[in-house]
């Protein structure tokens, strides 16, 4: 466990360092097309056409505000994703069932799931019994998805159809299951989503 924790790190999503709001707003004007529009508004002022200049500058300002708001929302979504990771997990280590903090999980751990549990990491299911998982956080699917440990699926199977896998931050709505941890922290599907949002 210690060796794997050194190699893979803690089961946490790396927090995204927030940017100063003023700098984030100023970066909206970094686009070459925006700079051309600002230059065009300056030229129209010099040509004594203040109405056209005001319209061009207004469009640039509205564009900057919309970009700023979108980036702020993305930053909030990243923070929300990192908070969805489970707090605790029921793990079988050395033949003993123990309750651990989810951030202590490493690939290869065996995790027990029951109704009401938040999945603590990405797991390949070993056994299931009427297991259903709400995966809306990843797939947008509003209804819980039935899971089946017996299925062997091709590697290219899309996320929403991987019935033999459960993913970090999803919620077990009914049934029970046991799975082996395949990915933790930033390597989980929700961790990849967080990285894509930050980019």
């Amino acid at each position: 466990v210690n060796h794997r924790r050194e190699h893979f790190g803690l089961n946490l999503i790396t927090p995204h360092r927030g940017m100063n709001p003023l700098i984030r707003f100023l970066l909206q004007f970094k686009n070459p097309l925006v700079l051309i529009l600002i230059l065009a508004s300056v030229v129209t002022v010099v040509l004594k056409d203040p109405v056209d200049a005001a319209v061009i500058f207004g469009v640039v300002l509205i564009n900057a505000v919309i970009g700023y708001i979108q980036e702020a929302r993305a930053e909030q979504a990243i923070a929300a994703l990192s908070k969805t990771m489970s707090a605790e997990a029921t793990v079988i280590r050395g033949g003993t069932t123990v309750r651990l903090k989810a951030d202590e999980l490493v690939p290869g751990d065996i995790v027990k799931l029951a109704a009401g549990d938040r999945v603590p990491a990405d797991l390949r299911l070993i056994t299931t019994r009427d297991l259903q998982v709400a995966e809306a956080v990843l797939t947008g699917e509003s209804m819980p998805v039935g899971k089946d440990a017996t299925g062997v699926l091709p590697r290219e199977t899309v996320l929403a159809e991987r019935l033999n896998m459960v993913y970090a931050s999803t919620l077990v709505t009914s049934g029970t299951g046991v799975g082996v941890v395949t990915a933790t922290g930033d390597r989980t599907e929700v961790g990849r989503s967080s990285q894509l949002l930050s980019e």
Side-chain angles (χ1 to χ4, degrees):
V1 169
N2 290 335
H3 174 72
R4 289 180 182 175
R5 190 173 295 123
E6 284 176 20
H7 185 266
F8 294 103
L10 291 175
N11 182 27
L12 296 170
I13 293 176
T14 305
H16 178 67
R17 200 164 51 95
M19 187 183 294
N20 182 313
L22 179 63
I23 292 173
R24 187 186 309 135
F25 183 73
L26 293 175
L27 285 174
Q28 302 305 315
F29 299 98
K30 186 174 98 172
N31 187 319
L33 185 59
V34 171
L35 294 174
I36 290 170
L37 285 171
I38 291 171
L39 182 63
S41 69
V42 170
V43 169
T44 54
V45 166
V46 171
L47 295 174
K48 301 200 187 312
D49 193 355
V51 174
D52 285 351
V55 169
I56 294 171
F57 187 72
V59 167
V60 170
L61 192 60
I62 289 170
N63 181 56
V65 169
I66 290 172
Y68 175 84
I69 290 170
Q70 286 177 329
E71 286 186 17
R73 285 185 178 167
E75 198 168 279
Q76 289 171 352
I78 292 167
L81 276 175
S82 64
K83 290 178 184 173
T84 61
M85 294 293 275
S86 179
E88 289 191 333
T90 304
V91 183
I92 302 170
R93 278 190 182 164
T96 306
T97 301
V98 292
R99 193 88 173 142
L100 295 174
K101 288 183 177 179
D103 61 4
E104 296 178 18
L105 291 177
V106 295
D109 274 335
I110 306 295
V111 177
K112 287 184 172 183
L113 299 171
D117 287 350
R118 189 166 295 280
V119 179
D122 289 0
L123 309 175
R124 167 61 164 94
L125 294 168
I126 300 169
T127 62
T128 55
R129 187 171 177 197
D130 301 322
L131 184 66
Q132 291 197 337
V133 179
E135 296 181 330
V137 68
L138 286 177
T139 64
E141 177 64 46
S142 61
M143 299 298 293
V145 178
K147 296 294 183 172
D148 181 12
T150 59
V152 177
L153 304 171
R155 182 178 285 274
E156 62 275 1
T157 303
V158 295
L159 184 74
E161 296 175 6
R162 295 179 193 164
L163 302 181
N164 58 0
M165 296 285 295
V166 291
Y167 297 98
S169 300
T170 58
L171 183 67
V172 178
T173 57
S174 65
T176 59
V178 176
V180 61
V181 175
T182 59
T184 58
D186 290 334
R187 292 178 179 88
T188 62
E189 291 297 329
V190 75
R192 288 189 188 124
S193 296
S194 176
Q195 289 173 346
L196 287 173
L197 276 171
S198 66
E199 289 170 11

